[in-house]
Amino acid sequence: MEFTQLQIKSIIDAVVSKKDGLNALMKMTLEALMRSERTEHNIEVGDYRNGYRTRKVFGDKHRITFVL
């Protein structure tokens, strides 16, 4: 799916303007980056995952938890 820069900005604005939106955006971004990194790693080395692990980061005013 292809979006224009204006469409992307509009989507991000809609997410961030909601309650706890900045943390939601941060969580989605980190999950996408880590998923992409894992995909690249699997291409080079092979899939040696041993399940999923919970990750925690500090967001805006509280901790954000996600699973990868």
Side-chain angles (χ1 to χ4, degrees), residues 17-36:
S17 66
K18 293 180 181 176
K19 182 181 179 194
D20 206 28
L22 184 59
N23 287 326
L25 180 62
M26 183 182 294
K27 180 179 178 179
M28 287 186 276
T29 302
L30 289 171
E31 287 174 342
L33 288 170
M34 292 181 78
R35 196 174 311 112
S36 175

Side-chain angles (χ1 to χ4, degrees), residues 1-4 7-8:
M1 185 177 298
E2 295 284 328
F3 291 102
T4 66
Q7 289 171 320
I8 294 169

